[in-house]
Amino acid sequence: MFSKKTSKALMSAVLGTMLLVTGCGGGGSASPGTDGGKSEAPAQSTGKKVINIGLKADPPSMDPNISTSLYDRQVYASLYDKLFDIDPSGKIVPMLAESYEVTPDGKTYTFKLKQGVKFHDGTDFDAEAVKFNFERNMKDEKSKRKGDMKFVESVTAVDKNTVKVQMKEPFAPFLSILADRGGTMVSPAAVKQYGDQYLNHPVGTGPFVFVEQVKGDHVTLKKNENYWGGAPKVDEVTYKVFTNGTAKVQNLRSGMLDIIDDTPVKEIPAVKGDSSLQLTAESGWGYQGLYLNNSRAPFDNKFLRAAVDRAIDREALVKVLFNGYAAPARTAFAKGSLAYNEELNKPIPPNADEIKDLLAKGGQPNGFSFKLYITSSPENEQLGAVLQNMWKQYGINATLEKLEYGQLLETGEKGEFDALQLGWSGRQDPDQNFHDFVVTGTANNDGRISLPKLDELVLKARSEVDETKRKALYEEATKLLQDEAGYSYLYHQYVLIGMNKKVSGFTYVPDGIIRTATLDKQ
């Protein structure tokens, strides 16, 4: 149980970290329009109607073929369209696909495409463009979408507006994947022209056109006057990077930002108390947690992984850091997911005898040390400090090392870490919260988890179309992953979007992505 004593100790750790951040010049008191020295002229001075959106981290890539970041997806919602999208109720709906049919055996999909749609470079969006995108995702050497396309056998452009996709076997999450980066359509002509530099010259069919990206600072897009869904109401959308959440909120309150993707919990009272602002607070589909590197010491030892995992008091962590704006997590599946299981997700208080036994079985009865990589945001530093404090009482000593978000992703990909704090924004289908993170050799399996039985269960769940049987497979796989402590889930995050009331046309969608096509501003 969460005790007052524990709460006091953890809060002291949090406050200590906050003071440390301020002392290091982390920006506890940023001035309007600045974050680490940046400045931006007021949008009104240009005479244009501009929506300024504050992002928590820099979008690493404008190419969906190699993207692994939520912050990329925020920009993609303006720049690109997908074959399918998610509606406000969480259902999958056609987007660039006009309609579709699937054969009873679940192995052949036929898509009818919207007609008259053009990419920003003036080339046609048609069946050949869809075929190109599928094959690029399937075959490109650097593609992060290969796992998504694993069961696609062939793609045929039947005619200009019809595409047939033949699957090797039934693949339950297929439409959900096409509502994400797997179904995001880029201009074939632009890819052929720019090659590896395409990410600096992105071309989609979306409501806004790429203008520039200044790494670590901003991404600017301008209105697509010929957008198939109707011209946007604003002239530009600019995404500005604010790694300091307090500075981001201050810029929202000053009017320099119109929307922020994430509101730090400690800033929520300020946002709620400002009559010019509104807050959208909804439970999300994702999770945050720790990659424990299963391929090298100390975490190639399952007992030491389990000791670290069992020593985390998730209920206390959520209460201290999030004040109810998050839910403790022990699985990849939040409420609302097909695979959600309340009992498996229920937090278990640390048991000192169990942790002592695990350390002994792991050959480290007196504890051990490791390095934990985290991002440099104050919120993540607080999270790291709380975890440090929880482990320390059992002789488990973690050294925190801060990295910029892009560096953290790169470090995870290379496997050059003991432990690394990185989560997932969540998707509609459970496969997308699980497969690529726990199956041997998959794109986001930074923890190098490799358990043949786990692989078997997750792959079987992918092709199972009966939802009851599919849920049972995920439950069995989750129990196995918990026993092995392959990845340590911490909490299911809330979507906390702050917005100026002068902005209209916003509709909340459970994936937490800010759609800009219908936004307007007084």
Side-chain angles (χ1 to χ4, degrees), residues 141-160:
E141 184 181 350
K142 297 179 181 177
S143 173
K144 297 294 186 184
R145 309 276 80 81
K146 287 180 180 176
D148 295 344
M149 300 295 154
K150 188 174 181 179
F151 291 142
V152 175
E153 185 171 79
S154 63
V155 183
T156 305
V158 177
D159 57 38
K160 187 173 176 59

Side-chain angles (χ1 to χ4, degrees), residues 436-513:
D436 277 8
F437 304 88
V438 301
V439 169
T440 304
T442 47
N444 295 321
N445 184 358
D446 291 353
R448 276 62 182 168
I449 300 166
S450 184
L451 301 166
K453 181 61 178 176
L454 181 65
D455 293 353
E456 177 189 330
L457 290 167
V458 179
L459 292 174
K460 195 172 180 181
R462 292 194 119 186
S463 57
E464 178 57 67
V465 294
D466 184 299
E467 290 191 354
T468 301
K469 292 178 181 176
R470 202 166 173 230
K471 184 174 190 292
L473 288 166
Y474 283 120
E475 289 171 349
E476 187 176 353
T478 295
K479 289 176 186 174
L480 177 58
L481 187 63
Q482 288 179 341
D483 183 58
E484 293 284 340
Y487 179 94
S488 191
Y489 299 97
L490 297 176
Y491 61 92
H492 297 297
Q493 63 268 38
Y494 273 34
V495 177
L496 298 167
I497 298 173
M499 186 178 306
N500 193 302
K501 289 181 178 176
K502 290 183 178 179
V503 175
S504 59
F506 172 78
T507 301
Y508 172 75
V509 178
D511 61 6
I513 301 298

Side-chain angles (χ1 to χ4, degrees), residues 33 92 129 214 230 267 271 348:
I92 298 169
V214 176
E267 300 293 343
V271 173
I348 299 175

Side-chain angles (χ1 to χ4, degrees), residues 60-88:
S61 173
M62 291 297 98
D63 184 353
N65 179 257
I66 57 174
S67 170
T68 58
S69 165
L70 164 65
Y71 308 102
D72 292 340
R73 293 172 63 226
Q74 291 286 8
V75 181
Y76 295 172
S78 297
L79 184 57
Y80 295 111
D81 292 316
K82 303 165 289 187
L83 291 178
F84 290 83
D85 200 5
I86 305 294
D87 76 3

Side-chain angles (χ1 to χ4, degrees), residues 52 62 97 138 157 201 210 214 295 330 393 405 452 501 515:
N52 293 297
M62 291 297 98
M138 292 162 63
H201 306 275
F210 181 78
V214 176
S295 68
R330 290 183 61 242
Q393 60 189 299
Y405 180 66
K501 289 181 178 176
R515 272 79 170 167

